[in-house]
Amino acid sequence: MSALVVGVLGLVLGVGAFGYVRDAYGLSTVGGSSMRPTYEQGQRVVWERVDGSGVRRGDVVLFTPPEFYGFDGPLMKRVAGVGGDRVRCCTPVGSRERVTVNGKPVEEPYVYGGDADGAHQPYDVKVPKGRLFLLGDYRANSNDSRFHLDEQGGTVSVNAVLGRVTDDRTVPGLLVTAVVLGLVLLLTGVGLGIGFLAVRRRRAPEMPQMPWPVRPSGG
């Protein structure tokens, strides 16, 4: 009975955790250098599946680019503006140029070389509702919203978002641990069951042999 309980518990835990990981998270490889220095080309990243309407400024998202991007396959960019924001480049602040959102300079410590402009191509976009203005961290080497301003200001629909990149490995790590633990419990249950059957077979009493019938002698 204990073997069955352990095995079923392991199966439920493992299958449940595996299903949750598959439905809640994804794993991708960075295909280019547009997100340097935050993410290097070839780096593996974990992203959580979220509704695009829930992402915020500064989030790094994986999305399906619209046709006017001229790229087939998911891309990874940083959200510079959400619906209702006015995103503008660039405003001199001291010795540096800065992107402004709703008139306020944005701190962007993640941009490559501290260059918030990169393309020397000014823009001033009011982001439509339900859309996102996206930029790469390597501004001098990123195909992003700046280069598609004729198509709704270069913005992307929130429905195109596949997920939000996360550097927090706590939840995925716990779920993977649960999958492994479930597998261990399942194998333990199977082992206990096999051991129980083997012991039971050894202890089974032997059937007594029936003596041959003795025929009465005629006489």
Side-chain angles (χ1 to χ4, degrees), residues 71-95:
F71 185 84
D72 184 19
L75 289 176
M76 191 168 70
K77 305 293 179 187
R78 190 179 297 274
V79 178
V82 299
D85 285 341
R86 182 182 179 183
V87 185
R88 183 174 179 272
C89 182
C90 280
T91 299
V93 178
S95 61

Side-chain angles (χ1 to χ4, degrees), residues 2-14 185-186 189:
S2 59
L4 179 61
V5 172
V6 172
V8 171
L9 178 61
L11 182 63
V12 171
L13 180 61
L185 288 175
L186 177 60

Side-chain angles (χ1 to χ4, degrees), residues 167-210:
D167 295 326
D168 184 0
R169 300 292 189 268
T170 304
V171 174
L174 289 175
L175 291 172
V176 171
T177 301
V179 172
V180 174
L181 179 59
L183 179 60
V184 170
L185 288 175
L186 177 60
L187 295 176
T188 300
V190 172
L192 289 174
I194 293 174
F196 173 77
L197 291 177
V199 171
R200 184 177 181 181
R201 186 173 181 179
R202 285 199 303 267
R203 292 180 177 177
E206 295 183 359
M207 293 294 295
Q209 294 183 355
M210 295 297 295

